[in-house]
Amino acid sequence: MTKKPLLSSSQLVLMSVGSAIAFPYTFMPILNAPPANQDTWIVLFVSIIYILLISTPLLILINVFRGFNVNEVLETIAGRILGKAAAVIFSLFFLFCFVACLLMAVIYINLFILPDTPLWALLLYCAIPISYASLKGAGTIGRLAFFIVPFVILTVLFFFLLGVKDIDLGMLRPVLADSTFLEVNIGGFYTGARYSEILIFFVFSYFLQKKARVNKLFLTAIGVFALSFFFILLPILTHLGAELARHAWNPYFIYTRHVEGYDFIERVQAINTLAWFPVILLKLIIYNYMASYMLSNAANAKSHRGCVIPISVFGSLACLIPLLNKSSTVELLRSDQVFPFVVIPVTFVLPLLLLIAYFFRRKKINKIIEKRKHIADPDV
Amino acid sequence: MPKRLFMLFCIALVLQLTGCWSRREPKTLALISSALYDLNEEGIYSTTIEIINPEAQGSPQDSGDGKSPTLTVSGEGKSLPEALRKTAESLERNLFAGQTLARFYTERYAKKDIVKDQDYFLRDFLTDEKPLVIILRGDDPQLLYTATLGLSNTVGNYIDNLHRTQDNFISTAVFIDTLMFLKDYHREGKQPVAGVAQLIEDDTQSSGNESKGGEDSGKATMESTGREGSGKEDKKYKVKYEGLAAFKDERLVGYLDAVETRAYKILTNTIGNSVVSLTDGDHVTALHIDKSKASLSACAADKGKKKAKLDVKIKMDISVMQADENLDVTDFENLKALEDRFNKQIRDEVLRAIKKAQTEFKSDIFGFGNAMHADRPGEWKKFRANWDESFSDADINIRIQSSINRSGLIKKTIKNRA
């Protein structure tokens, strides 16, 4: 039997940050969320509160069931059949995220970088590294995150610092005059509801070193994500303006196209692409792995490996469907009409139901947990 | 076996070095340096693009090899993209707009609507929002590509070099890129402006591009456009880049001259260095604007009424560049008097610019509405729908405070003898 890979605290935090930052780096749904004006930066901070609220049920479950893998958690709370059903729901969600993210990635590449390259070639070049890293498992993904995500954060800081001279804070005025309390909260909710990275903690905390504290790691991940997001959002709002930025497919790319400095730094948008591609691959790898892991557990398979390539192939084939391979489809998928309402049932509703079930059955479940701890460590 | 597979994989990787489907060899590209867009009365777009000839760049034009550093080609179409593609009909290279430095629009085109066509520049893969937006004044815009260009080889480079060197040095022209133009278009309470170029007769004896556009310049496509018949072969033209084109929403509504443009730059805090000459009969004193900070505000003149009041506060640090013979710059009283004269002159210039925008353009190009939106969002809601009308009728209050902090390397004027 192969040894369970171990993830360090920083690896898990960076995996979560990398996966979360990939979308703001690619597009800015927050710009179109209400109130869709200069107050968008406030919406970002309000969304953090919603992220914390939405993630709370799952965070409680992760803490209670430290040392259990996802399937064990689900089956311990909901029983064998309902647990398997819940696992299938999670799997389908991960599969949806994988396909949607792959679709956005290839259409983005097609629009901005390689317009003449056929879709199958783009998919092939995405699917091979995704499958390889996903096959290698959690340890490899953690190490990848450790290399990729700091680089991405560095590029965000680089673009921010070089653009500081052009920041016109007047573009953020008036503050909260054109927005209502309700609009800011709706925007905060839509933005917060997109955040599904708590599921990364749910799946990968099983591989986490025992001494690590999940709550602290989660808060760190949220903090790093919020700051990085802010450093992406602020130059966009102050340089492009909220109204013009809303028209763009990728306003951050447009901003980076205008970053210049010291008479020799110009046309540095290549660095944006250089950081974007690995981070979007990392996100895809994580979702591929989580979908494979959940499916294999639901099917009682020994390893997730059997599901990795079929999922990559399925995702690639789905992207080749003419109906899906359209800018308008991606626009709909990433809009506030679809994405938050797909994420919320999985990140909040289902975990809340599981948490309620846990409280009803907590005596019995606690015994199982105690027994499990005793087996793991007889001195306890 | 795994080693062999790994070796095969490594060999396969080499195949990727040939490039992707979207690869473009530099030798097959026609790099666009600048473009001139026109729209005639029938709604037909005409595009003239200036293409860089890398093979001739850096070589003397009269070297006898017959190669010009640029080539201009034209095309027409019912839409801007079509007109642009038509230019490539007789061109053996792929158009590449990623290096375009300036986009010129004719006056008649700008008077119709240039914003709707910006959609193409932002939507297309190879075009972007970096080139400068310039309105070309005059009846014969095609002369642009025959004009002498100082030390530059292409019109695009000439404008770009002006931007880099003159923007902060003279401050009598604006350099607005497409992004800034569109940002102002979308901004509440601020109308967009653009740069202005004009072709004037060149009386200078020599320039780096004297032969440009002449019979030996190799601009076959330009010659074939039939402009020889215009009777202007003997005249030389140069580009005068000065002033500002004011827009109301998407249409050109008028121009500010050099002095008014300086006032615009003072009001929008975009002025760099500038020299202001104060004349008093034959006596001239030149002052240099070191630092300028303008605060604009707008509010309702009366409660409940639609009339607005514009308030301008300008604070400037200036220095003496040249003192006239009667001026003792070591004397505080003299400096105070000089500051007052300076304030009055700047006040008159600023007032002239605002009045022109109010009466002639009826367009708030300075951003007073934006200031009201930021400072008094409640009041702005009342004015928002008809701001330009309110702006046109608004009262103006201007306060200028300047301070002469430096007077150069000498004390009393050099003309004074003991």
Side-chain angles (χ1 to χ4, degrees):
Chain A
M1 188 182 164
T2 51
K3 201 180 166 186
K4 181 177 91 174
L6 272 184
L7 284 178
S8 69
S9 305
S10 49
Q11 282 174 343
L12 186 59
V13 168
L14 290 172
M15 278 165 70
S16 168
V17 172
S19 172
I21 208 74
F23 273 179
Y25 216 94
T26 315
F27 63 99
M28 279 273 176
I30 195 169
L31 291 169
N32 291 300
N37 59 22
Q38 69 278 3
D39 293 326
T40 302
W41 64 278
I42 298 170
V43 172
L44 169 65
F45 290 111
V46 172
S47 76
I48 301 300
I49 300 167
Y50 281 101
I51 289 174
L52 292 173
L53 284 175
I54 290 165
S55 306
T56 302
L58 212 47
L59 205 57
I60 295 170
L61 289 177
I62 294 169
N63 278 295
V64 171
F65 291 92
R66 267 310 294 276
F68 284 59
N69 73 28
V70 188
N71 246 43
E72 288 166 348
V73 176
L74 298 177
E75 287 186 16
T76 310
I77 297 172
R80 194 173 165 75
I81 294 170
L82 287 177
K84 293 275 183 213
V88 170
I89 292 171
F90 278 115
S91 311
L92 290 175
F93 171 74
F94 293 138
L95 200 58
F96 167 80
C97 287
F98 177 72
V99 174
C101 189
L102 188 60
L103 198 58
M104 285 175 207
V106 290
I107 288 188
Y108 172 80
I109 295 172
N110 203 239
L111 281 175
F112 281 86
I113 309 166
L114 306 170
D116 301 325
T117 306
L119 196 63
W120 64 263
L122 296 177
L123 288 166
L124 191 71
Y125 275 80
C126 289
I128 291 171
I130 290 167
S131 305
Y132 180 74
S134 183
L135 277 170
K136 285 285 178 184
T140 301
I141 299 172
R143 286 192 292 278
L144 270 177
F146 203 80
F147 281 104
I148 294 168
V149 182
F151 172 61
V152 172
I153 294 171
L154 269 178
T155 63
V156 170
L157 290 175
F158 169 79
F159 289 129
F160 177 77
L161 291 174
L162 277 179
V164 158
K165 63 183 187 306
D166 298 321
I167 282 182
D168 174 10
L169 289 175
M171 297 290 285
L172 301 180
R173 294 177 67 205
V175 178
L176 288 176
D178 297 341
S179 328
T180 62
F181 180 75
L182 184 68
E183 282 175 335
V184 170
N185 275 277
I186 291 173
F189 172 75
Y190 281 150
T191 308
R194 288 172 177 274
Y195 188 88
S196 59
E197 274 62 34
I198 182 66
L199 294 169
I200 293 178
F201 280 83
F202 191 40
V203 174
F204 286 94
S205 62
Y206 172 64
F207 305 105
L208 196 59
Q209 289 160 343
K210 269 187 183 175
K211 59 180 181 185
R213 286 190 294 167
V214 176
N215 289 351
K216 191 181 159 190
L217 297 186
F218 181 66
L219 289 175
T220 310
I222 295 281
V224 176
F225 163 67
L227 272 179
S228 308
F229 198 160
F230 182 69
F231 284 131
I232 291 176
L233 183 64
L234 186 68
I236 288 175
L237 287 176
T238 54
H239 197 88
L240 270 66
E243 189 59 39
L244 184 59
R246 279 172 61 199
H247 284 76
W249 225 87
N250 185 342
Y252 194 52
F253 186 79
I254 290 180
Y255 163 70
T256 56
R257 207 149 55 179
H258 286 261
V259 167
E260 288 178 354
Y262 307 107
D263 287 337
F264 72 96
I265 302 172
E266 55 184 346
R267 297 185 184 272
V268 284
Q269 66 268 30
I271 297 173
N272 176 305
T273 309
L274 205 65
W276 171 81
F277 190 57
V279 85
I280 203 79
L281 278 187
L282 178 72
K283 189 176 176 79
L284 287 163
I285 289 164
I286 290 170
Y287 277 96
N288 180 300
Y289 177 83
M290 293 200 293
S292 317
Y293 185 75
M294 294 294 285
L295 265 181
S296 61
N297 276 334
N300 286 333
K302 280 184 182 174
S303 164
H304 75 285
R305 292 181 169 203
C307 299
V308 169
I309 291 172
I311 286 174
S312 296
V313 172
F314 173 79
S316 304
L317 290 177
C319 291
L320 288 169
I321 297 170
L323 181 71
L324 289 179
N325 180 23
K326 285 182 176 182
S327 297
S328 50
T329 308
V330 173
E331 204 57 45
L332 180 73
L333 273 178
R334 68 185 200 170
S335 72
D336 287 335
Q337 295 152 12
V338 175
F339 222 81
F341 299 103
V342 175
V343 176
I344 273 283
V346 185
T347 54
F348 183 70
V349 180
L350 190 55
L352 188 67
L353 292 175
L354 289 167
L355 191 64
I356 293 167
Y358 163 72
F359 274 110
F360 278 112
R361 302 181 61 205
R362 65 181 178 279
K363 280 183 185 171
K364 193 179 169 186
I365 292 171
N366 284 345
K367 275 182 192 170
I368 298 171
I369 295 170
E370 286 304 316
K371 194 176 163 186
R372 178 76 176 263
K373 278 183 183 168
H374 184 71
I375 294 167
D377 189 356
D379 298 333
V380 175
Chain B
M1 189 64 181
K3 272 189 182 175
R4 283 181 187 172
L5 275 174
F6 182 72
M7 288 298 289
L8 276 174
F9 180 70
C10 289
I11 292 165
L13 283 177
V14 177
L15 295 173
Q16 298 179 100
L17 296 177
T18 55
C20 64
W21 278 261
S22 304
R23 72 185 179 279
R24 296 275 184 276
E25 295 291 338
K27 65 182 178 185
T28 66
L29 293 181
L31 302 174
I32 301 174
S33 174
S34 68
L36 168 66
Y37 301 103
D38 191 11
L39 178 64
N40 67 19
E41 296 305 322
E42 289 80 43
I44 300 295
Y45 289 88
S46 126
T47 304
T48 305
I49 54 172
E50 180 189 38
I51 295 165
I52 301 166
N53 181 4
E55 288 169 23
Q57 290 288 323
S59 65
Q61 287 182 44
D62 52 357
S63 59
D65 60 0
K67 285 180 180 172
S68 166
T70 60
L71 172 77
T72 53
V73 285
S74 303
E76 286 189 347
K78 287 179 182 171
S79 67
L80 207 59
E82 190 189 340
L84 197 60
R85 293 288 165 112
K86 289 268 182 173
T87 58
E89 266 180 352
S90 55
L91 202 64
E92 75 282 19
R93 296 190 184 186
N94 297 314
L95 288 179
F96 183 76
Q99 300 287 334
T100 309
L101 298 166
R103 291 191 187 117
F104 293 87
Y105 301 87
T106 60
E107 220 171 354
R108 62 176 174 180
Y109 181 6
K111 280 179 179 166
K112 286 177 183 164
D113 178 0
I114 65 164
V115 175
K116 68 176 164 55
D117 295 314
Q118 302 301 316
D119 182 274
Y120 163 62
F121 298 127
L122 267 75
R123 199 176 287 281
D124 192 68
F125 168 68
L126 282 176
T127 56
D128 62 26
E129 62 299 310
K130 291 187 80 161
L132 297 166
V133 180
I134 300 161
I135 307 303
L136 187 61
R137 293 181 80 169
D139 299 329
D140 195 352
Q142 295 297 332
L143 289 174
L144 174 68
Y145 292 113
T146 64
T148 54
L149 298 171
L151 299 171
S152 301
N153 280 335
T154 69
V155 174
N157 271 334
Y158 176 69
I159 296 293
D160 189 51
N161 289 334
L162 279 181
H163 181 200
R164 288 174 195 271
T165 56
Q166 305 304 312
D167 193 13
N168 284 332
F169 197 64
I170 298 177
S171 292
T172 52
V174 290
F175 294 86
I176 304 289
D177 66 26
T178 310
L179 184 76
M180 283 161 76
F181 181 82
L182 291 174
K183 194 166 84 174
D184 279 350
Y185 174 74
H186 282 289
R187 205 169 182 178
E188 276 193 40
K190 167 91 173 77
Q191 294 285 1
V193 298
V196 180
Q198 201 173 356
L199 296 163
I200 56 167
E201 278 190 45
D202 186 9
D203 300 329
T204 52
Q205 286 299 307
S206 168
S207 86
N209 284 60
E210 204 173 2
S211 66
K212 189 175 161 62
E215 286 180 4
D216 301 328
S217 67
K219 292 191 175 184
T221 51
M222 286 193 71
E223 288 170 7
S224 67
T225 54
R227 284 180 301 101
E228 296 90 336
S230 63
K232 290 171 181 169
E233 296 88 351
D234 301 325
K235 288 181 185 173
K236 282 182 194 167
Y237 290 89
K238 66 177 180 183
V239 178
K240 184 183 176 192
Y241 194 87
E242 189 179 82
L244 167 158
F247 280 73
K248 185 168 181 176
D249 300 324
E250 55 283 315
R251 286 181 177 79
L252 172 72
V253 285
Y255 302 97
L256 292 186
D257 63 23
V259 173
E260 292 157 350
T261 301
R262 181 169 65 195
Y264 170 88
K265 295 187 90 168
I266 290 171
L267 288 169
T268 52
N269 289 319
T270 50
I271 193 156
N273 298 300
S274 187
V275 178
V276 178
S277 302
L278 300 179
T279 51
D280 182 14
D282 290 340
H283 303 293
V284 180
T285 302
L287 297 172
H288 182 262
I289 300 174
D290 300 326
K291 218 157 94 178
S292 170
K293 171 77 184 155
S295 309
L296 308 186
S297 67
C299 59
D302 298 309
K303 271 191 179 176
K305 290 191 177 178
K306 282 279 176 184
K307 195 169 171 67
K309 195 175 83 180
L310 312 178
D311 202 30
V312 180
K313 281 182 206 165
I314 301 169
K315 218 174 163 184
M316 285 174 154
D317 288 347
I318 49 179
S319 54
V320 179
M321 283 191 89
Q322 185 190 336
D324 86 70
E325 60 205 72
N326 297 328
L327 183 70
D328 178 2
V329 292
T330 58
D331 185 275
F332 280 103
E333 290 301 316
N334 281 347
L335 290 180
K336 181 77 184 71
L338 198 61
E339 283 170 2
D340 289 343
R341 279 173 61 201
F342 174 82
N343 291 350
K344 187 181 176 306
Q345 180 158 331
I346 293 292
R347 188 186 177 283
D348 291 347
E349 288 177 5
V350 167
L351 190 65
R352 193 172 110 196
I354 298 175
K355 282 280 181 201
K356 194 169 189 180
Q358 282 183 312
T359 53
E360 284 185 33
F361 311 153
K362 295 187 188 306
S363 167
D364 180 8
I365 54 173
F366 306 101
F368 283 101
N370 190 255
M372 184 193 268
H373 181 216
D375 299 333
R376 296 178 171 84
E379 275 182 30
W380 172 246
K381 279 172 190 161
K382 292 177 199 161
F383 284 96
R384 186 183 190 175
N386 297 303
W387 171 246
D388 282 329
E389 282 73 28
S390 303
F391 167 75
S392 306
D393 298 332
D395 299 328
I396 310 163
N397 177 33
I398 301 170
R399 277 174 286 173
I400 297 176
Q401 192 188 337
S402 64
S403 167
I404 298 176
N405 295 334
R406 298 283 184 274
S407 53
L409 304 182
I410 54 173
K411 289 177 276 183
K412 291 184 179 176
T413 178
I414 201 74
K415 200 178 172 187
N416 283 356
R417 283 190 287 204

